[in-house]
Structure formats: structure tokens, C-alpha cells
Amino acid sequence: MKIIPSCREVSELLSQAQERPLTLVERFGLHVHLPLCEGCRNFKRQLVFMREAFKRYLERP
Ligand SMILES: [Zn+2]
């Protein structure tokens, strides 16, 4: 088993994290990959931003 996931795997994990709790191994992979990879950090920031924006949209009266 590979310890550090690829960028592709990281983006999939970040998307899945919106729908299900990640396993310990998956969280560890993100924890190792994200500090090394600016692209995935940006992707994660975008996901969080999108989720917040969507939530605000739903909460609008
Ligand atoms: Zn990456």
C-alpha cells in the first residue's frame, strides 16, 4: 500500500469527505500530501468555499 496518495486520489478523497467520514488511512494520506502540494491545497480551499457558498444559498430566506 502506498502512503502518499496522488493528486488525483487526493481530489477524490476531498470530494468524498463532503459525503462520508474518511478512514484514518485516508485522512493520513491527505495530511501528508496537502503540505507538499499547492495545487491540492487550492482545490481544497475551493471545495470549502463552494460548500459555504452553497450553504448560504440554501439558508437564504
Ligand atoms: Zn496534490
Side-chain angles (χ1 to χ4, degrees):
M1 189 195 74
K2 185 154 56 76
I3 301 289
I4 303 185
S6 66
C7 289
R8 201 190 129 82
E9 286 164 338
V10 164
S11 62
E12 274 168 20
L13 285 178
L14 288 173
S15 307
Q16 286 170 20
Q18 320 277 314
E19 282 128 42
R20 65 172 175 90
L22 297 180
T23 66
L24 195 64
V25 174
E26 289 168 338
R27 284 208 308 271
F28 181 77
L30 291 180
H31 188 74
V32 175
H33 186 107
L34 286 176
L36 302 173
C37 182
E38 198 184 348
C40 289
R41 283 204 302 276
N42 284 336
F43 179 70
K44 186 185 174 194
R45 209 173 303 140
Q46 275 171 30
L47 270 184
V48 171
F49 177 80
M50 295 276 287
R51 194 179 49 192
E52 291 302 309
F54 186 61
K55 215 166 69 184
R56 275 200 299 277
Y57 173 77
L58 288 181
E59 283 166 359
R60 230 170 31 168

